[in-house]
Amino acid sequence: IGVYSRLTSNYCLVSTGGSENFYSVFETELAQHIPVIHTSLANSQIVGTLCVGNKNGLLVPAITTDNELQSIRNSLPESVRVKRVEERLSALGNVISTNDHCALIHPDLDLETEEIVQDVLGVEVFRTTIGGNALVGTYSSFTNRGGIVHPMTTVQELEELSTLLQIPLGAGTVNRGIDSVAGGLAANDWALFCGLDTTATEIAVLETLFRINDISNQNYSS
C-alpha cells in the first residue's frame, strides 16, 4: 500500500493504473477531508516510493514529467509547496521519512537535498539509520502521533529515535511478518491503511503505535 500511495494530513496521492478498488478505498475514507489525487510519477505507479511529503510540502524526483507536476500542483491545497529534487538516490520515499515536524534521512543524501527537505517540508532533519539500514523511508513510518520501525531495531535505538522525533515509536511488522513497514501501510494523524495480509496482532500493534483508537472520529481500513 505504501509503495503506491503517499498519505499526509493535507492530501493523498494514489497511483494511476492500479485497481479501481485500491483507489476507491482511499477515496471513500478520505475524500470528505482531503484531496485524493490520482497520479503517476515519472510514468511509474510507485508514487509512494518515489516521493515524500507532509502537510507543508511534497518532494518529487527530477524525472517527474512536466504534465505530472502540473496536474499534482493543480490538485493540491495552495498552502502545499511542490519541488522537484535532483538527487542521486531518486526513490525519495525510501531514503526520507517525515511527519510535519521532523525528518529522518539516509546518511548519504546530498547536502542540497537535506536543505530542500528542511525548507520545503519545514522540518528538522536527522541523518540516521534504522536497525542498521540506511533506507530510513523503507523501514520506518510515523505521523505526528506515533510510528513503527523495523522489527530488528534495538531498544536503545528506539529510545534515541523517539527522543529525536518526540513521539512514541515501536518495532513491528506488517503483512504477516514483512519488515519493510512503510511499504505495507499508509497513515496520517487520523487514518491508517494496511495490506490485506496484515494479521490481527499486527493491526492491534499498529493501532496502538499510531494511536488511532485515541481519536473519536477514527478511520481505519485494510
Side-chain angles (χ1 to χ4, degrees):
I1 280 186
V3 172
Y4 300 105
S5 63
R6 175 63 59 192
L7 175 58
T8 76
S9 297
N10 249 6
Y11 58 88
C12 178
L13 303 187
V14 181
S15 71
T16 50
S19 77
E20 196 51 44
N21 181 52
F22 181 76
Y23 177 71
S24 67
V25 168
F26 285 92
E27 180 86 357
T28 303
E29 298 289 347
L30 303 174
Q32 287 179 302
H33 311 285
I34 57 175
V36 179
I37 302 160
H38 226 166
T39 187
S40 59
L41 287 174
N43 295 312
S44 168
Q45 293 181 28
I46 55 170
V47 295
T49 300
L50 291 176
C51 74
V52 67
N54 63 10
K55 71 170 187 181
N56 303 314
L58 175 68
L59 304 179
V60 297
I63 49 177
T64 304
T65 69
D66 291 343
N67 285 345
E68 288 166 341
L69 196 64
Q70 195 56 52
S71 171
I72 291 168
R73 278 205 171 110
N74 291 343
S75 306
L76 285 172
E78 282 186 20
S79 60
V80 178
R81 296 172 63 191
V82 186
K83 187 168 178 64
R84 273 196 189 116
V85 181
E86 289 276 355
E87 167 61 53
R88 180 177 53 86
L89 303 170
S90 61
L92 300 175
N94 285 346
V95 294
I96 303 166
S97 192
T98 190
N99 61 14
D100 296 334
H101 308 292
C102 300
L104 305 179
I105 66 170
H106 189 294
D108 298 333
L109 216 62
D110 288 348
L111 188 59
E112 187 180 342
T113 304
E114 179 182 345
E115 290 167 354
I116 290 168
V117 171
Q118 285 176 318
D119 177 46
V120 176
L121 302 186
V123 292
E124 199 173 351
V125 175
F126 304 100
R127 287 179 186 264
T128 187
T129 58
I130 291 175
N133 294 285
L135 296 175
V136 291
T138 302
Y139 294 109
S140 71
S141 177
F142 53 90
T143 66
N144 301 319
R145 298 171 60 80
I148 189 170
V149 296
H150 188 286
M152 300 307 287
T153 309
T154 65
V155 173
Q156 184 183 345
E157 257 189 306
L158 264 177
E159 288 175 356
E160 287 170 1
L161 290 168
S162 239
T163 303
L164 281 181
L165 300 173
Q166 295 289 296
I167 53 171
L169 293 173
T173 58
V174 293
N175 283 333
R176 209 177 294 276
I178 301 299
D179 60 9
S180 49
V181 288
L185 65 90
N188 65 14
D189 288 349
W190 41 268
L192 171 66
F193 301 85
C194 59
L196 281 174
D197 289 340
T198 305
T199 66
T201 305
E202 288 172 332
I203 287 171
V205 169
L206 290 171
E207 287 178 332
T208 302
L209 293 177
F210 285 92
R211 295 163 64 194
I212 291 296
N213 287 334
D214 295 359
I215 309 163
S216 55
N217 177 26
Q218 64 168 301
N219 287 285
Y220 163 71
S221 189
S222 65

